[in-house]
Amino acid sequence: MKSGLFQGGLEVPPFRQGNFSFAHEWLEQVGMLDALLARLDALRGADDAHRYLCTLDDISQCSYTCGHAGQDERLYLDAPEDEDWDDAAQMQARALATLQHRVRQLAQPGLVQSWGQVCGSLAVACDDVDALLAANREPDRLLDEVIYVQRVPAALLPGGDALIAAAPNGYFSADWDTFQNHAIICHLAAHYGYRFFAMGAAWMGFERGTPPDAVLAERLVQDLRELYGKGRNEVLGHAAWARLAQQLQARRTLVLGYAENLAESLGLDQDAE
């Protein structure tokens, strides 16, 4: 694995910061999700003043959609008229103010989404459930060649569930938006002990200290069936759900897609050709 630090500029060789305002470190050739988790654990263990959030699949697309998702009128903070985009100090202050604004917006009673409201709101077909199964069986296949790690001040986050404020995503109309994704993050943390650690272009990553036991895994999968399949009998009854419950008992990670055409994003449509 190769790595390097961003130094706070808008463009730092060999990679651009993009729309990741708190980009701290870049990683190349990570290869395995377990290696990425080990790196995040090391960062957290050495620094309890920050929370760490990494990218996952398709970093270029993730940066693009993250930038647009952040312009959602529910999340966007107007810039001062005299703001200087070439002044690193102003840009840092801007990033902190934007983060605080997004955190407040995510908690606004009129904007908060519930788990029940999100269930069934993503267009999902049976091959997307197959993609969910495949991604959790082989999560390494989601990793892009380059991963960015953001370092976010913990003092500005009331809880781990607000970390999505540093990388809002869900830009396209057919995707779950930032508020819907936040509802999922909150539900998984409160009911299953999963911590949100990664936001990709189409997938989110979660981890817990140990894999869930059989009872918890089965309960989780029943929730996921409703999340993706509510109102779609063929999705609710798909055989892959039972296999997913077994898989989750062997891993402490969970990856969930939040965009349309999950099978396509994972390349399963090409595998079938």
Side-chain angles (χ1 to χ4, degrees):
M1 184 193 307
K2 298 179 182 179
S3 65
L5 297 178
F6 290 95
Q7 299 300 323
L10 296 181
E11 294 186 13
V12 182
F15 301 111
R16 295 184 177 183
Q17 186 176 13
N19 288 308
F20 306 108
S21 298
F22 297 91
H24 169 67
E25 183 177 55
W26 53 263
L27 306 171
E28 276 191 298
Q29 302 171 2
V30 176
M32 299 179 63
L33 184 61
D34 286 345
L36 177 59
L37 292 174
R39 180 58 188 155
L40 293 175
D41 284 342
L43 289 168
R44 296 185 192 112
D47 176 20
D48 59 5
H50 294 87
R51 301 188 189 279
Y52 289 85
L53 177 68
C54 69
T55 58
L56 199 60
D57 58 296
D58 199 341
I59 190 170
S60 295
Q61 179 71 359
C62 183
S63 177
Y64 170 80
T65 52
C66 181
H68 282 286
Q71 293 176 344
D72 184 318
E73 63 180 9
R74 297 170 295 176
L75 294 172
Y76 186 71
L77 179 66
D78 289 329
E81 293 183 2
D82 60 348
E83 188 170 71
D84 183 354
W85 288 75
D86 294 322
D87 186 321
Q90 287 191 38
M91 290 300 96
Q92 183 180 23
R94 166 76 170 159
L96 291 170
T98 297
L99 177 68
Q100 289 177 301
H101 176 72
R102 290 172 179 169
V103 169
R104 288 193 296 268
Q105 291 298 96
L106 287 171
Q108 285 288 341
L111 299 178
V112 171
Q113 291 278 301
S114 69
W115 172 267
Q117 288 174 303
V118 181
C119 286
S121 59
L122 186 71
V124 174
C126 286
D127 60 349
D128 296 315
V129 182
D130 292 331
L132 191 66
L133 180 69
N136 280 281
R137 182 177 61 242
E138 301 177 82
D140 299 344
R141 67 190 296 175
L142 289 179
L143 296 177
D144 202 350
E145 294 180 0
V146 178
I147 299 292
Y148 282 12
V149 179
Q150 293 200 85
R151 183 177 65 178
V152 188
L156 301 183
L157 302 172
D161 59 85
L163 191 54
I164 193 175
N169 223 325
Y171 162 59
F172 297 110
S173 60
D175 302 341
W176 281 325
D177 64 25
T178 302
F179 290 86
Q180 292 169 310
N181 285 332
H182 183 235
I184 294 168
I185 292 167
C186 291
H187 185 85
L188 292 178
H191 295 275
Y192 300 101
Y194 278 100
R195 172 170 56 184
F196 173 58
F197 76 88
M199 173 60 78
W203 297 82
M204 296 185 287
F206 302 86
E207 61 173 329
R208 66 194 311 272
T210 58
D213 61 23
V215 173
L216 190 65
E218 181 61 35
R219 182 157 59 87
L220 170 60
V221 168
Q222 290 305 316
D223 262 2
L224 296 180
R225 286 176 72 245
E226 283 294 308
L227 178 65
Y228 286 100
K230 184 178 179 180
R232 301 179 181 90
N233 290 334
E234 70 282 1
V235 173
L236 286 171
H238 194 35
W241 293 117
R243 297 198 295 275
L244 180 61
Q246 295 175 341
Q247 280 181 196
L248 293 180
Q249 296 172 54
R251 291 199 60 89
R252 67 185 187 94
T253 57
L254 171 68
V255 290
L256 297 180
Y258 68 88
E260 65 175 338
N261 299 323
L262 294 179
E264 181 180 344
S265 76
L266 204 61
L268 294 188
D269 56 331
Q270 299 173 9
D271 294 346
E273 293 178 359

